[in-house]
């Protein structure tokens, strides 16, 4: 191995480690904010005990984040500042799936943190949950330039990571936000959000409720009640399965 290659490889490992450490740091801050003095799960679980427990799911998500590393599988890697992996409870009952990181998300490394994020947080709270009790991710983990729509090859390269997140979290319900998430999970580029929203479909055996993206609702606040009606259907089914 030549000196340049060795240096590159060392740099790549350093970047990958820094990115994973950043994710662990966020997780520690999250548990600290909840009032824990230490991680509320065993180190053994953290190091890899897989399973359907919350501990195993956290470990699996961390392994997945390590697998993504400093991903260069598509051209979006060229302009991004951070890979936006996802955030929330690894054992969440509801998973929200949006489109792709925007400017704020790219800078902060967390999905839905700007104005649209505030609207999503309000919706989650209105549904009776806290943001940290659900899981939030995007179809695409890196910001497309000028916030353009993700392209087909980018979705194809990245969706395997989302699929693995869904497998690990195994949510009871998925709520897709916007057209791109709907098109991706239905594998149908022609589907219209206006026609599909409010109607359940299934993805990987999980009931999925499609609704509008919060960024759309910021531009069209008159349609907020439609999204509220959509998530009511999820809450209804959830309540029925509880009883
Ligand atoms: S968008 Fe996904 S596939 Fe493309 S570089 Fe980012 S993490 Fe990798």
């Amino acid at each position: 191995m030549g000196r340049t290659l060795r240096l590159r490889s060392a740099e790549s490992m350093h970047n990958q480690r820094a990115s994973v450490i950043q994710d662990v740091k966020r997780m520690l801050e999250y548990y600290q904010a909840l009032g824990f003095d230490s991680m509320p799960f065993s180190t053994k679980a953290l190091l890899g005990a897989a399973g359907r427990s919350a501990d195993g799911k956290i470990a699996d998500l961390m392994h997945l984040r390590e697998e993504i590393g400093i991903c260069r599988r598509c051209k979006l890697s060229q302009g991004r500042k951070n890979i936006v992996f996802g955030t929330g409870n690894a054992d969440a009952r509801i998973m929200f799936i949006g489109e792709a990181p925007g400017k704020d998300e790219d800078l902060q490394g967390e999905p839905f943190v700007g104005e649209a994020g505030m609207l999503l947080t309000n919706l989650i709270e209105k549904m009776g949950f806290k943001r940290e009790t659900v899981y939030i991710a995007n179809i695409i983990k890196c910001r497309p330039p000028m916030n353009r729509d993700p392209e087909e090859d980018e979705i194809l390269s990245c969706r395997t990571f989302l699929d693995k997140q869904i497998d690990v979290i195994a949510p009871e319900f998925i709520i897709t936000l916007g057209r791109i998430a709907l098109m991706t999970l239905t594998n149908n580029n022609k589907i219209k959000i206006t026609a599909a929203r409010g109607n359940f479909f299934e993805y990987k055996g999980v009931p999925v409720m499609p609704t509008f993206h919060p960024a759309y609702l910021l531009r069209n606040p008159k349609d907020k009640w439609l999204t509220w009606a959509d998530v009511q259907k999820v809450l209804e089914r959830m309540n029925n399965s509880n009883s």
Side-chain angles (χ1 to χ4, degrees), residues 31-222:
Y31 280 108
Q32 206 170 32
L34 289 180
F36 290 98
D37 291 331
S38 57
M39 296 282 248
F41 44 82
S42 68
T43 312
K44 190 174 159 216
L46 188 64
L47 291 175
R52 304 215 23 99
S53 67
D55 290 2
K57 290 181 179 187
I58 290 169
D60 287 350
L61 284 182
M62 291 181 74
H63 286 152
L64 175 59
R65 180 63 192 86
E66 271 182 67
E67 182 190 324
I68 295 173
I70 51 163
C71 182
R72 304 254 180 247
R73 291 168 180 82
C74 84
K75 57 188 178 298
L76 292 181
S77 60
Q78 291 159 18
R80 64 149 189 253
K81 296 213 165 24
N82 282 297
I83 291 176
V84 181
F85 178 68
T87 188
N89 181 0
D91 202 24
R93 298 183 72 187
I94 304 182
M95 185 168 177
F96 289 84
I97 301 176
E99 179 179 321
K103 190 174 169 214
D104 295 327
E105 288 79 13
D106 181 43
L107 286 173
Q108 295 184 41
E110 188 174 327
F112 286 96
V113 290
E115 237 189 308
M118 274 169 63
L119 190 58
L120 177 62
T121 304
N122 287 343
L123 176 72
I124 292 166
E125 288 174 356
K126 217 169 151 199
M127 290 171 73
F129 297 93
K130 288 199 156 110
R131 183 177 160 110
E132 1 15 300
T133 63
V134 302
Y135 197 87
I136 306 170
N138 282 312
I139 297 286
I140 288 279
K141 311 276 180 232
C142 301
R143 183 191 181 200
M146 310 299 289
N147 294 345
R148 65 154 167 76
D149 283 354
E151 292 170 359
E152 253 180 70
D153 60 314
E154 295 158 356
I155 293 175
L156 202 63
S157 304
C158 208
R159 71 178 295 171
T160 174
F161 302 137
L162 177 73
D163 282 342
K164 288 182 181 178
Q165 280 175 307
I166 295 171
D167 288 343
V168 170
I169 295 163
E172 285 171 47
F173 294 93
I174 291 173
I175 298 177
T176 55
L177 305 166
R179 183 175 54 92
I180 300 290
L182 171 67
M183 278 174 15
T184 305
L185 295 204
T186 54
N187 285 314
N188 180 353
N189 286 348
K190 297 211 164 65
I191 195 162
K192 299 272 181 232
I193 181 100
T194 42
R197 57 144 285 274
N199 298 296
F200 279 105
F201 67 96
E202 276 206 3
Y203 185 71
K204 288 175 158 280
V206 182
V208 184
M209 173 55 66
T211 194
F212 292 119
H213 194 284
Y216 167 85
L217 295 175
L218 285 174
R219 297 191 302 272
N220 301 276
K222 65 175 177 26

